[in-house]
Amino acid sequence: MGDKFEQLRLATAIAHLIPGAELMLTSQEGTDYRAGNHPSAEFTLCEIRRLIASSACPSRPNFTRWIKDFSICGAINDSGVGIYRSVEGNPMARWFSTTLRPETVYEALEQADIDGISSLPVDATITPDSLLGVTTVQISLDELVTDEMLNELVLVGYGACLVQEVSHSLDNTNACGSPNSAKSKRSSQNF
């Protein structure tokens, strides 16, 4: 299913949490379908979550094959690189999703170096979505700051999570029997 499926999981988790957010799904035939909470939507976001979760199970059919492309829309703005802003919510908040477990997200955010960017307290709300295997993070400030400063703070936190994602990905590759992992196990048995 790969990278596109992972991006769909991440986008769905964010859209499911932000009030008024929607997903626009384009089929292989070019037909657009909207997933949201408005009565005119073809799917609810909860239905799409279940469809994606079911498709992630190897013993079940991939019900997402009909989706050629997708985007987040509605009461949400894309701030770039996977960071979103709610149109209707707190203007001093940004959102992103990650495939990391909540405790790993917490550790990454705790270690993120925001010194020198802002002396204001930064809040992070970590919301796991166990159905999708995704954790969504809302970074916010209680005081008004410039969009540039808030975006920079969020980028530092998001970057810390991306580094952990890559690190976990590399660890999983080595643990699954890559040649380097097998070689190191054999050489350690000789000692």
Side-chain angles (χ1 to χ4, degrees), residues 33-68:
Y33 297 94
R34 189 167 47 147
N37 295 325
H38 192 273
S40 65
E42 287 82 8
F43 299 98
T44 67
L45 289 166
C46 291
E47 289 170 332
I48 292 298
R49 279 179 71 235
R50 287 191 298 272
L51 182 100
I52 293 168
S54 180
S55 296
C57 182
S59 65
R60 296 188 181 212
N62 180 358
F63 295 109
T64 62
R65 277 189 217 160
W66 65 271
I67 301 171
K68 179 181 178 186

PDB file of all heavy atoms in Angstrom, residues 33-68:
ATOM      1  N   TYR A  33     -15.379  12.662  -4.479  1.00  0.00           N
ATOM      2  CA  TYR A  33     -16.254  12.317  -3.365  1.00  0.00           C
ATOM      3  C   TYR A  33     -15.775  13.085  -2.143  1.00  0.00           C
ATOM      4  O   TYR A  33     -14.579  13.166  -1.886  1.00  0.00           O
ATOM      5  CB  TYR A  33     -16.204  10.817  -3.058  1.00  0.00           C
ATOM      6  CG  TYR A  33     -16.692   9.964  -4.194  1.00  0.00           C
ATOM      7  CD1 TYR A  33     -15.797   9.446  -5.129  1.00  0.00           C
ATOM      8  CD2 TYR A  33     -18.044   9.660  -4.331  1.00  0.00           C
ATOM      9  CE1 TYR A  33     -16.233   8.662  -6.183  1.00  0.00           C
ATOM     10  CE2 TYR A  33     -18.491   8.871  -5.379  1.00  0.00           C
ATOM     11  CZ  TYR A  33     -17.573   8.373  -6.301  1.00  0.00           C
ATOM     12  OH  TYR A  33     -18.012   7.596  -7.334  1.00  0.00           O
ATOM     13  N   ARG A  34     -16.718  13.608  -1.389  1.00  0.00           N
ATOM     14  CA  ARG A  34     -16.368  14.368  -0.196  1.00  0.00           C
ATOM     15  C   ARG A  34     -16.654  13.535   1.041  1.00  0.00           C
ATOM     16  O   ARG A  34     -17.704  12.906   1.155  1.00  0.00           O
ATOM     17  CB  ARG A  34     -17.180  15.661  -0.153  1.00  0.00           C
ATOM     18  CG  ARG A  34     -16.720  16.601   0.927  1.00  0.00           C
ATOM     19  CD  ARG A  34     -17.291  17.973   0.760  1.00  0.00           C
ATOM     20  NE  ARG A  34     -18.717  17.949   0.494  1.00  0.00           N
ATOM     21  CZ  ARG A  34     -19.566  18.866   0.899  1.00  0.00           C
ATOM     22  NH1 ARG A  34     -19.144  19.909   1.554  1.00  0.00           N
ATOM     23  NH2 ARG A  34     -20.845  18.776   0.610  1.00  0.00           N
ATOM     24  N   ALA A  35     -15.704  13.547   1.978  1.00  0.00           N
ATOM     25  CA  ALA A  35     -15.879  12.897   3.273  1.00  0.00           C
ATOM     26  C   ALA A  35     -15.864  13.991   4.326  1.00  0.00           C
ATOM     27  O   ALA A  35     -14.904  14.752   4.428  1.00  0.00           O
ATOM     28  CB  ALA A  35     -14.764  11.896   3.530  1.00  0.00           C
ATOM     29  N   GLY A  36     -16.941  14.088   5.062  1.00  0.00           N
ATOM     30  CA  GLY A  36     -17.043  15.113   6.092  1.00  0.00           C
ATOM     31  C   GLY A  36     -18.302  14.919   6.905  1.00  0.00           C
ATOM     32  O   GLY A  36     -19.015  13.930   6.749  1.00  0.00           O
ATOM     33  N   ASN A  37     -18.582  15.874   7.743  1.00  0.00           N
ATOM     34  CA  ASN A  37     -19.750  15.773   8.612  1.00  0.00           C
ATOM     35  C   ASN A  37     -20.971  16.513   8.068  1.00  0.00           C
ATOM     36  O   ASN A  37     -22.033  16.461   8.662  1.00  0.00           O
ATOM     37  CB  ASN A  37     -19.395  16.287  10.011  1.00  0.00           C
ATOM     38  CG  ASN A  37     -18.357  15.388  10.658  1.00  0.00           C
ATOM     39  OD1 ASN A  37     -18.354  14.183  10.455  1.00  0.00           O
ATOM     40  ND2 ASN A  37     -17.464  15.981  11.418  1.00  0.00           N
ATOM     41  N   HIS A  38     -20.809  17.180   6.932  1.00  0.00           N
ATOM     42  CA  HIS A  38     -21.946  17.878   6.321  1.00  0.00           C
ATOM     43  C   HIS A  38     -22.878  16.837   5.688  1.00  0.00           C
ATOM     44  O   HIS A  38     -22.408  15.848   5.117  1.00  0.00           O
ATOM     45  CB  HIS A  38     -21.449  18.862   5.259  1.00  0.00           C
ATOM     46  CG  HIS A  38     -22.497  19.794   4.796  1.00  0.00           C
ATOM     47  ND1 HIS A  38     -23.362  19.481   3.769  1.00  0.00           N
ATOM     48  CD2 HIS A  38     -22.850  21.030   5.237  1.00  0.00           C
ATOM     49  CE1 HIS A  38     -24.199  20.487   3.575  1.00  0.00           C
ATOM     50  NE2 HIS A  38     -23.907  21.448   4.459  1.00  0.00           N
ATOM     51  N   PRO A  39     -24.198  17.042   5.784  1.00  0.00           N
ATOM     52  CA  PRO A  39     -25.146  16.070   5.222  1.00  0.00           C
ATOM     53  C   PRO A  39     -24.965  15.807   3.718  1.00  0.00           C
ATOM     54  O   PRO A  39     -25.360  14.747   3.229  1.00  0.00           O
ATOM     55  CB  PRO A  39     -26.523  16.694   5.490  1.00  0.00           C
ATOM     56  CG  PRO A  39     -26.309  17.662   6.597  1.00  0.00           C
ATOM     57  CD  PRO A  39     -24.891  18.131   6.484  1.00  0.00           C
ATOM     58  N   SER A  40     -24.376  16.746   2.981  1.00  0.00           N
ATOM     59  CA  SER A  40     -24.202  16.542   1.539  1.00  0.00           C
ATOM     60  C   SER A  40     -22.970  15.691   1.205  1.00  0.00           C
ATOM     61  O   SER A  40     -22.770  15.325   0.047  1.00  0.00           O
ATOM     62  CB  SER A  40     -24.108  17.888   0.823  1.00  0.00           C
ATOM     63  OG  SER A  40     -22.928  18.568   1.230  1.00  0.00           O
ATOM     64  N   ALA A  41     -22.153  15.366   2.190  1.00  0.00           N
ATOM     65  CA  ALA A  41     -20.954  14.558   1.941  1.00  0.00           C
ATOM     66  C   ALA A  41     -21.345  13.117   1.612  1.00  0.00           C
ATOM     67  O   ALA A  41     -22.309  12.577   2.163  1.00  0.00           O
ATOM     68  CB  ALA A  41     -20.034  14.596   3.156  1.00  0.00           C
ATOM     69  N   GLU A  42     -20.598  12.505   0.699  1.00  0.00           N
ATOM     70  CA  GLU A  42     -20.872  11.113   0.317  1.00  0.00           C
ATOM     71  C   GLU A  42     -20.467  10.126   1.407  1.00  0.00           C
ATOM     72  O   GLU A  42     -21.028   9.034   1.506  1.00  0.00           O
ATOM     73  CB  GLU A  42     -20.139  10.764  -0.985  1.00  0.00           C
ATOM     74  CG  GLU A  42     -20.727  11.385  -2.224  1.00  0.00           C
ATOM     75  CD  GLU A  42     -20.292  12.826  -2.468  1.00  0.00           C
ATOM     76  OE1 GLU A  42     -19.397  13.336  -1.764  1.00  0.00           O
ATOM     77  OE2 GLU A  42     -20.854  13.456  -3.376  1.00  0.00           O
ATOM     78  N   PHE A  43     -19.450  10.489   2.201  1.00  0.00           N
ATOM     79  CA  PHE A  43     -18.976   9.642   3.298  1.00  0.00           C
ATOM     80  C   PHE A  43     -18.823  10.504   4.545  1.00  0.00           C
ATOM     81  O   PHE A  43     -18.517  11.689   4.448  1.00  0.00           O
ATOM     82  CB  PHE A  43     -17.586   9.057   3.002  1.00  0.00           C
ATOM     83  CG  PHE A  43     -17.508   8.184   1.800  1.00  0.00           C
ATOM     84  CD1 PHE A  43     -17.062   8.692   0.586  1.00  0.00           C
ATOM     85  CD2 PHE A  43     -17.842   6.846   1.873  1.00  0.00           C
ATOM     86  CE1 PHE A  43     -16.965   7.889  -0.534  1.00  0.00           C
ATOM     87  CE2 PHE A  43     -17.751   6.035   0.761  1.00  0.00           C
ATOM     88  CZ  PHE A  43     -17.308   6.554  -0.454  1.00  0.00           C
ATOM     89  N   THR A  44     -18.975   9.894   5.706  1.00  0.00           N
ATOM     90  CA  THR A  44     -18.575  10.583   6.931  1.00  0.00           C
ATOM     91  C   THR A  44     -17.092  10.292   7.142  1.00  0.00           C
ATOM     92  O   THR A  44     -16.550   9.327   6.580  1.00  0.00           O
ATOM     93  CB  THR A  44     -19.364  10.100   8.166  1.00  0.00           C
ATOM     94  OG1 THR A  44     -19.008   8.737   8.437  1.00  0.00           O
ATOM     95  CG2 THR A  44     -20.867  10.239   7.957  1.00  0.00           C
ATOM     96  N   LEU A  45     -16.441  11.113   7.935  1.00  0.00           N
ATOM     97  CA  LEU A  45     -15.029  10.860   8.229  1.00  0.00           C
ATOM     98  C   LEU A  45     -14.858   9.574   9.032  1.00  0.00           C
ATOM     99  O   LEU A  45     -13.854   8.873   8.882  1.00  0.00           O
ATOM    100  CB  LEU A  45     -14.415  12.056   8.956  1.00  0.00           C
ATOM    101  CG  LEU A  45     -14.237  13.281   8.061  1.00  0.00           C
ATOM    102  CD1 LEU A  45     -13.943  14.527   8.880  1.00  0.00           C
ATOM    103  CD2 LEU A  45     -13.138  13.046   7.040  1.00  0.00           C
ATOM    104  N   CYS A  46     -15.845   9.236   9.844  1.00  0.00           N
ATOM    105  CA  CYS A  46     -15.791   7.973  10.592  1.00  0.00           C
ATOM    106  C   CYS A  46     -15.852   6.774   9.644  1.00  0.00           C
ATOM    107  O   CYS A  46     -15.146   5.778   9.850  1.00  0.00           O
ATOM    108  CB  CYS A  46     -16.917   7.899  11.617  1.00  0.00           C
ATOM    109  SG  CYS A  46     -16.707   9.065  12.979  1.00  0.00           S
ATOM    110  N   GLU A  47     -16.663   6.858   8.602  1.00  0.00           N
ATOM    111  CA  GLU A  47     -16.732   5.776   7.614  1.00  0.00           C
ATOM    112  C   GLU A  47     -15.393   5.610   6.899  1.00  0.00           C
ATOM    113  O   GLU A  47     -14.925   4.489   6.686  1.00  0.00           O
ATOM    114  CB  GLU A  47     -17.835   6.055   6.591  1.00  0.00           C
ATOM    115  CG  GLU A  47     -19.225   5.917   7.139  1.00  0.00           C
ATOM    116  CD  GLU A  47     -20.301   6.416   6.186  1.00  0.00           C
ATOM    117  OE1 GLU A  47     -20.039   7.321   5.363  1.00  0.00           O
ATOM    118  OE2 GLU A  47     -21.430   5.899   6.282  1.00  0.00           O
ATOM    119  N   ILE A  48     -14.765   6.720   6.536  1.00  0.00           N
ATOM    120  CA  ILE A  48     -13.472   6.654   5.852  1.00  0.00           C
ATOM    121  C   ILE A  48     -12.408   6.075   6.790  1.00  0.00           C
ATOM    122  O   ILE A  48     -11.572   5.282   6.370  1.00  0.00           O
ATOM    123  CB  ILE A  48     -13.060   8.046   5.319  1.00  0.00           C
ATOM    124  CG1 ILE A  48     -14.002   8.458   4.180  1.00  0.00           C
ATOM    125  CG2 ILE A  48     -11.612   8.086   4.870  1.00  0.00           C
ATOM    126  CD1 ILE A  48     -13.971   7.537   2.967  1.00  0.00           C
ATOM    127  N   ARG A  49     -12.441   6.468   8.061  1.00  0.00           N
ATOM    128  CA  ARG A  49     -11.491   5.904   9.036  1.00  0.00           C
ATOM    129  C   ARG A  49     -11.617   4.386   9.083  1.00  0.00           C
ATOM    130  O   ARG A  49     -10.622   3.667   9.065  1.00  0.00           O
ATOM    131  CB  ARG A  49     -11.746   6.467  10.440  1.00  0.00           C
ATOM    132  CG  ARG A  49     -11.156   7.816  10.683  1.00  0.00           C
ATOM    133  CD  ARG A  49     -11.464   8.328  12.087  1.00  0.00           C
ATOM    134  NE  ARG A  49     -10.726   7.596  13.091  1.00  0.00           N
ATOM    135  CZ  ARG A  49     -11.289   6.973  14.130  1.00  0.00           C
ATOM    136  NH1 ARG A  49     -12.597   6.965  14.302  1.00  0.00           N
ATOM    137  NH2 ARG A  49     -10.535   6.344  15.003  1.00  0.00           N
ATOM    138  N   ARG A  50     -12.845   3.887   9.167  1.00  0.00           N
ATOM    139  CA  ARG A  50     -13.056   2.435   9.232  1.00  0.00           C
ATOM    140  C   ARG A  50     -12.618   1.755   7.935  1.00  0.00           C
ATOM    141  O   ARG A  50     -12.034   0.673   7.957  1.00  0.00           O
ATOM    142  CB  ARG A  50     -14.518   2.127   9.546  1.00  0.00           C
ATOM    143  CG  ARG A  50     -14.888   2.418  10.986  1.00  0.00           C
ATOM    144  CD  ARG A  50     -16.258   1.870  11.358  1.00  0.00           C
ATOM    145  NE  ARG A  50     -17.345   2.440  10.588  1.00  0.00           N
ATOM    146  CZ  ARG A  50     -18.011   3.548  10.903  1.00  0.00           C
ATOM    147  NH1 ARG A  50     -17.689   4.207  11.982  1.00  0.00           N
ATOM    148  NH2 ARG A  50     -18.998   3.981  10.143  1.00  0.00           N
ATOM    149  N   LEU A  51     -12.886   2.375   6.803  1.00  0.00           N
ATOM    150  CA  LEU A  51     -12.492   1.836   5.503  1.00  0.00           C
ATOM    151  C   LEU A  51     -10.971   1.710   5.420  1.00  0.00           C
ATOM    152  O   LEU A  51     -10.441   0.682   5.001  1.00  0.00           O
ATOM    153  CB  LEU A  51     -13.019   2.751   4.398  1.00  0.00           C
ATOM    154  CG  LEU A  51     -12.743   2.328   2.979  1.00  0.00           C
ATOM    155  CD1 LEU A  51     -13.995   1.670   2.405  1.00  0.00           C
ATOM    156  CD2 LEU A  51     -12.381   3.530   2.141  1.00  0.00           C
ATOM    157  N   ILE A  52     -10.272   2.752   5.859  1.00  0.00           N
ATOM    158  CA  ILE A  52      -8.804   2.746   5.824  1.00  0.00           C
ATOM    159  C   ILE A  52      -8.244   1.716   6.798  1.00  0.00           C
ATOM    160  O   ILE A  52      -7.333   0.961   6.466  1.00  0.00           O
ATOM    161  CB  ILE A  52      -8.254   4.153   6.116  1.00  0.00           C
ATOM    162  CG1 ILE A  52      -8.622   5.092   4.968  1.00  0.00           C
ATOM    163  CG2 ILE A  52      -6.751   4.128   6.339  1.00  0.00           C
ATOM    164  CD1 ILE A  52      -8.391   6.552   5.274  1.00  0.00           C
ATOM    165  N   ALA A  53      -8.800   1.669   7.997  1.00  0.00           N
ATOM    166  CA  ALA A  53      -8.322   0.704   8.999  1.00  0.00           C
ATOM    167  C   ALA A  53      -8.513  -0.728   8.514  1.00  0.00           C
ATOM    168  O   ALA A  53      -7.632  -1.568   8.664  1.00  0.00           O
ATOM    169  CB  ALA A  53      -9.044   0.929  10.318  1.00  0.00           C
ATOM    170  N   SER A  54      -9.652  -0.992   7.910  1.00  0.00           N
ATOM    171  CA  SER A  54      -9.917  -2.328   7.387  1.00  0.00           C
ATOM    172  C   SER A  54      -8.948  -2.668   6.257  1.00  0.00           C
ATOM    173  O   SER A  54      -8.459  -3.794   6.162  1.00  0.00           O
ATOM    174  CB  SER A  54     -11.357  -2.414   6.893  1.00  0.00           C
ATOM    175  OG  SER A  54     -11.623  -3.697   6.393  1.00  0.00           O
ATOM    176  N   SER A  55      -8.627  -1.688   5.422  1.00  0.00           N
ATOM    177  CA  SER A  55      -7.713  -1.916   4.299  1.00  0.00           C
ATOM    178  C   SER A  55      -6.282  -2.152   4.753  1.00  0.00           C
ATOM    179  O   SER A  55      -5.488  -2.744   4.028  1.00  0.00           O
ATOM    180  CB  SER A  55      -7.760  -0.723   3.342  1.00  0.00           C
ATOM    181  OG  SER A  55      -9.044  -0.615   2.774  1.00  0.00           O
ATOM    182  N   ALA A  56      -5.935  -1.692   5.951  1.00  0.00           N
ATOM    183  CA  ALA A  56      -4.580  -1.878   6.466  1.00  0.00           C
ATOM    184  C   ALA A  56      -4.346  -3.301   6.950  1.00  0.00           C
ATOM    185  O   ALA A  56      -3.203  -3.734   7.084  1.00  0.00           O
ATOM    186  CB  ALA A  56      -4.305  -0.896   7.603  1.00  0.00           C
ATOM    187  N   CYS A  57      -5.411  -4.032   7.188  1.00  0.00           N
ATOM    188  CA  CYS A  57      -5.297  -5.414   7.663  1.00  0.00           C
ATOM    189  C   CYS A  57      -4.938  -6.324   6.486  1.00  0.00           C
ATOM    190  O   CYS A  57      -5.679  -6.395   5.503  1.00  0.00           O
ATOM    191  CB  CYS A  57      -6.617  -5.846   8.294  1.00  0.00           C
ATOM    192  SG  CYS A  57      -6.568  -7.517   8.958  1.00  0.00           S
ATOM    193  N   PRO A  58      -3.804  -7.034   6.559  1.00  0.00           N
ATOM    194  CA  PRO A  58      -3.369  -7.865   5.428  1.00  0.00           C
ATOM    195  C   PRO A  58      -4.355  -8.968   5.037  1.00  0.00           C
ATOM    196  O   PRO A  58      -4.382  -9.401   3.902  1.00  0.00           O
ATOM    197  CB  PRO A  58      -2.056  -8.484   5.907  1.00  0.00           C
ATOM    198  CG  PRO A  58      -1.636  -7.695   7.084  1.00  0.00           C
ATOM    199  CD  PRO A  58      -2.857  -7.059   7.664  1.00  0.00           C
ATOM    200  N   SER A  59      -5.186  -9.403   5.973  1.00  0.00           N
ATOM    201  CA  SER A  59      -6.119 -10.487   5.662  1.00  0.00           C
ATOM    202  C   SER A  59      -7.426  -9.982   5.052  1.00  0.00           C
ATOM    203  O   SER A  59      -8.304 -10.769   4.746  1.00  0.00           O
ATOM    204  CB  SER A  59      -6.422 -11.293   6.929  1.00  0.00           C
ATOM    205  OG  SER A  59      -7.104 -10.482   7.864  1.00  0.00           O
ATOM    206  N   ARG A  60      -7.542  -8.672   4.867  1.00  0.00           N
ATOM    207  CA  ARG A  60      -8.767  -8.095   4.294  1.00  0.00           C
ATOM    208  C   ARG A  60      -8.449  -7.427   2.965  1.00  0.00           C
ATOM    209  O   ARG A  60      -7.330  -7.010   2.723  1.00  0.00           O
ATOM    210  CB  ARG A  60      -9.371  -7.082   5.247  1.00  0.00           C
ATOM    211  CG  ARG A  60      -9.820  -7.730   6.521  1.00  0.00           C
ATOM    212  CD  ARG A  60     -10.574  -6.774   7.354  1.00  0.00           C
ATOM    213  NE  ARG A  60     -10.957  -7.441   8.586  1.00  0.00           N
ATOM    214  CZ  ARG A  60     -12.043  -7.174   9.229  1.00  0.00           C
ATOM    215  NH1 ARG A  60     -12.861  -6.258   8.777  1.00  0.00           N
ATOM    216  NH2 ARG A  60     -12.329  -7.803  10.339  1.00  0.00           N
ATOM    217  N   PRO A  61      -9.464  -7.260   2.122  1.00  0.00           N
ATOM    218  CA  PRO A  61      -9.238  -6.569   0.844  1.00  0.00           C
ATOM    219  C   PRO A  61      -8.883  -5.100   1.067  1.00  0.00           C
ATOM    220  O   PRO A  61      -9.267  -4.508   2.080  1.00  0.00           O
ATOM    221  CB  PRO A  61     -10.593  -6.678   0.136  1.00  0.00           C
ATOM    222  CG  PRO A  61     -11.423  -7.619   0.918  1.00  0.00           C
ATOM    223  CD  PRO A  61     -10.822  -7.764   2.274  1.00  0.00           C
ATOM    224  N   ASN A  62      -8.155  -4.541   0.118  1.00  0.00           N
ATOM    225  CA  ASN A  62      -7.809  -3.128   0.174  1.00  0.00           C
ATOM    226  C   ASN A  62      -8.964  -2.335  -0.428  1.00  0.00           C
ATOM    227  O   ASN A  62      -9.088  -2.202  -1.630  1.00  0.00           O
ATOM    228  CB  ASN A  62      -6.516  -2.858  -0.588  1.00  0.00           C
ATOM    229  CG  ASN A  62      -6.118  -1.402  -0.555  1.00  0.00           C
ATOM    230  OD1 ASN A  62      -6.825  -0.567   0.003  1.00  0.00           O
ATOM    231  ND2 ASN A  62      -4.999  -1.092  -1.161  1.00  0.00           N
ATOM    232  N   PHE A  63      -9.782  -1.780   0.455  1.00  0.00           N
ATOM    233  CA  PHE A  63     -10.957  -1.031   0.019  1.00  0.00           C
ATOM    234  C   PHE A  63     -10.612   0.374  -0.449  1.00  0.00           C
ATOM    235  O   PHE A  63     -11.490   1.111  -0.860  1.00  0.00           O
ATOM    236  CB  PHE A  63     -11.986  -0.959   1.145  1.00  0.00           C
ATOM    237  CG  PHE A  63     -12.548  -2.295   1.522  1.00  0.00           C
ATOM    238  CD1 PHE A  63     -12.214  -2.872   2.733  1.00  0.00           C
ATOM    239  CD2 PHE A  63     -13.392  -2.973   0.665  1.00  0.00           C
ATOM    240  CE1 PHE A  63     -12.737  -4.113   3.085  1.00  0.00           C
ATOM    241  CE2 PHE A  63     -13.911  -4.211   1.008  1.00  0.00           C
ATOM    242  CZ  PHE A  63     -13.575  -4.786   2.218  1.00  0.00           C
ATOM    243  N   THR A  64      -9.348   0.756  -0.380  1.00  0.00           N
ATOM    244  CA  THR A  64      -8.959   2.115  -0.776  1.00  0.00           C
ATOM    245  C   THR A  64      -8.378   2.162  -2.186  1.00  0.00           C
ATOM    246  O   THR A  64      -7.982   3.232  -2.638  1.00  0.00           O
ATOM    247  CB  THR A  64      -7.926   2.701   0.209  1.00  0.00           C
ATOM    248  OG1 THR A  64      -6.751   1.896   0.184  1.00  0.00           O
ATOM    249  CG2 THR A  64      -8.490   2.772   1.615  1.00  0.00           C
ATOM    250  N   ARG A  65      -8.342   1.060  -2.901  1.00  0.00           N
ATOM    251  CA  ARG A  65      -7.763   1.046  -4.259  1.00  0.00           C
ATOM    252  C   ARG A  65      -8.461   1.989  -5.216  1.00  0.00           C
ATOM    253  O   ARG A  65      -7.873   2.448  -6.185  1.00  0.00           O
ATOM    254  CB  ARG A  65      -7.794  -0.361  -4.843  1.00  0.00           C
ATOM    255  CG  ARG A  65      -6.638  -1.170  -4.380  1.00  0.00           C
ATOM    256  CD  ARG A  65      -6.546  -2.458  -5.124  1.00  0.00           C
ATOM    257  NE  ARG A  65      -6.106  -3.416  -4.130  1.00  0.00           N
ATOM    258  CZ  ARG A  65      -6.239  -4.693  -4.209  1.00  0.00           C
ATOM    259  NH1 ARG A  65      -6.813  -5.218  -5.249  1.00  0.00           N
ATOM    260  NH2 ARG A  65      -5.814  -5.468  -3.258  1.00  0.00           N
ATOM    261  N   TRP A  66      -9.729   2.258  -4.968  1.00  0.00           N
ATOM    262  CA  TRP A  66     -10.487   3.145  -5.856  1.00  0.00           C
ATOM    263  C   TRP A  66     -10.037   4.595  -5.724  1.00  0.00           C
ATOM    264  O   TRP A  66     -10.327   5.415  -6.578  1.00  0.00           O
ATOM    265  CB  TRP A  66     -11.980   3.024  -5.592  1.00  0.00           C
ATOM    266  CG  TRP A  66     -12.417   3.487  -4.222  1.00  0.00           C
ATOM    267  CD1 TRP A  66     -12.475   2.723  -3.098  1.00  0.00           C
ATOM    268  CD2 TRP A  66     -12.827   4.787  -3.839  1.00  0.00           C
ATOM    269  NE1 TRP A  66     -12.903   3.482  -2.033  1.00  0.00           N
ATOM    270  CE2 TRP A  66     -13.118   4.759  -2.469  1.00  0.00           C
ATOM    271  CE3 TRP A  66     -12.978   5.990  -4.532  1.00  0.00           C
ATOM    272  CZ2 TRP A  66     -13.552   5.870  -1.758  1.00  0.00           C
ATOM    273  CZ3 TRP A  66     -13.403   7.105  -3.823  1.00  0.00           C
ATOM    274  CH2 TRP A  66     -13.696   7.034  -2.457  1.00  0.00           C
ATOM    275  N   ILE A  67      -9.306   4.934  -4.645  1.00  0.00           N
ATOM    276  CA  ILE A  67      -8.881   6.314  -4.406  1.00  0.00           C
ATOM    277  C   ILE A  67      -7.597   6.591  -5.181  1.00  0.00           C
ATOM    278  O   ILE A  67      -6.554   6.010  -4.900  1.00  0.00           O
ATOM    279  CB  ILE A  67      -8.673   6.580  -2.904  1.00  0.00           C
ATOM    280  CG1 ILE A  67      -9.967   6.322  -2.132  1.00  0.00           C
ATOM    281  CG2 ILE A  67      -8.176   8.010  -2.678  1.00  0.00           C
ATOM    282  CD1 ILE A  67      -9.810   6.350  -0.624  1.00  0.00           C
ATOM    283  N   LYS A  68      -7.689   7.476  -6.147  1.00  0.00           N
ATOM    284  CA  LYS A  68      -6.521   7.858  -6.938  1.00  0.00           C
ATOM    285  C   LYS A  68      -5.765   8.993  -6.265  1.00  0.00           C
ATOM    286  O   LYS A  68      -4.538   9.017  -6.236  1.00  0.00           O
ATOM    287  CB  LYS A  68      -6.958   8.287  -8.343  1.00  0.00           C
ATOM    288  CG  LYS A  68      -5.822   8.731  -9.226  1.00  0.00           C
ATOM    289  CD  LYS A  68      -6.331   9.168 -10.582  1.00  0.00           C
ATOM    290  CE  LYS A  68      -5.190   9.649 -11.450  1.00  0.00           C
ATOM    291  NZ  LYS A  68      -5.689  10.203 -12.707  1.00  0.00           N
TER     292      LYS A  68
END
